[in-house]
Amino acid sequence: MTNTRSKADLFDAMGIGPVWELRKQVGAKVSTAISEPMPETVLEQATVDPGLANASISLENMSLESLREMVATCKKCGLCETRKQTVFGDGIPHAPLMVVGEGPGVDEDQTGLPFVGKSGQLLDRMLKAVGASRVNNTYIANVVKCHPPGNRNPEQAEIEQCSPYLVQQIKSNGPKVLLLVGRFAIQTLLNTKKPVGELRGVVHKVTLGGLSIPAVVTYHPAYLLRRPEEKSKAWDDLLLLKQLGFI
Ligand code: URA
């Protein structure tokens, strides 16, 4: 896929046409067949919080299905009191791309599937524009597996209880590349408090349990729905993801 065509697709999908040219080209060159990320684009190394990594040790080697069953009955935090059901993940297990979001909204709580509401529909269109989809080459999960009531942000304690599941979910999936959408996914997996705007534009490397996975970060689709003028930055991020050659 050429940049021009994919940009047109994405702009169309995101409702921000007409097509315009990038001010600067991200990355050095486009490769469609690399098995490792391009070294010149890997600028930031991140190791998940050691506490989090240790907490996931008890889940070591669990398959996705066993993990899903365990999560379905989880009562580690108060979100279990108000959820309709847990929302574990969707898409193709062991797919090359794994997308990590924040947590289920109302629609996801109803259906048990991540990213099915308005922001999920935007996410699907964004992924499609770079040749990715949950029925083809992508797996999607969230940092927290239960809907925070009133659509509030997940609390730190809830993230700490739930993210060992995410770590094992990533290890078990073994993605070639991660797309982290929104600050909760980004800050949890990159072990940082920096805002998204300071972290985007480079390829990060998430190190967990012997795996070292390139990660691209971008704004959460819910944020893009509120701030459509930021969609062009998300497009740059998707191009960077595409350039890594795993999708
Ligand atoms: N927002 C998320 O971060 N995840 C979902 O599953 C839905 C909305």
Side-chain angles (χ1 to χ4, degrees), residues 65-84:
E65 258 332 290
S66 314
L67 200 59
R68 179 194 287 275
E69 283 165 22
M70 178 182 251
V71 165
T73 57
C74 179
K75 294 201 165 38
K76 288 207 287 180
C77 80
L79 294 181
C80 69
E81 309 287 342
T82 49
R83 74 180 178 220
K84 282 201 162 54

Side-chain angles (χ1 to χ4, degrees), residues 10 13-14 97-102 108 114-130 132-134 138-142 179-182 218-222 224-225 238 241:
L10 185 81
M14 294 171 82
L97 171 63
M98 180 165 172
V99 178
V100 182
E102 175 183 323
E108 291 75 19
F115 281 105
V116 291
K118 278 211 164 62
S119 62
Q121 289 158 23
L122 175 57
L123 177 68
D124 281 343
R125 294 197 298 274
M126 291 162 66
L127 293 175
K128 184 171 174 216
V130 287
S133 91
R134 64 178 96 194
T138 304
Y139 184 90
I140 302 180
N142 284 308
L179 176 66
L180 310 180
V181 300
T218 195
Y219 294 109
H220 194 285
L224 296 174
L225 288 170
L238 291 171
L241 174 72

Side-chain angles (χ1 to χ4, degrees), residues 23-84:
R23 279 188 300 276
K24 78 180 164 63
Q25 186 69 44
V26 283
K29 57 185 175 219
V30 177
S31 164
T32 52
I34 55 172
S35 56
E36 292 297 324
M38 289 180 288
E40 61 269 41
T41 64
V42 177
L43 300 178
E44 299 286 335
Q45 186 88 24
T47 304
V48 291
D49 183 312
L52 172 57
N54 286 340
S56 70
I57 284 174
S58 63
L59 309 173
E60 200 95 66
N61 299 325
M62 275 185 91
S63 69
L64 281 177
E65 258 332 290
S66 314
L67 200 59
R68 179 194 287 275
E69 283 165 22
M70 178 182 251
V71 165
T73 57
C74 179
K75 294 201 165 38
K76 288 207 287 180
C77 80
L79 294 181
C80 69
E81 309 287 342
T82 49
R83 74 180 178 220
K84 282 201 162 54

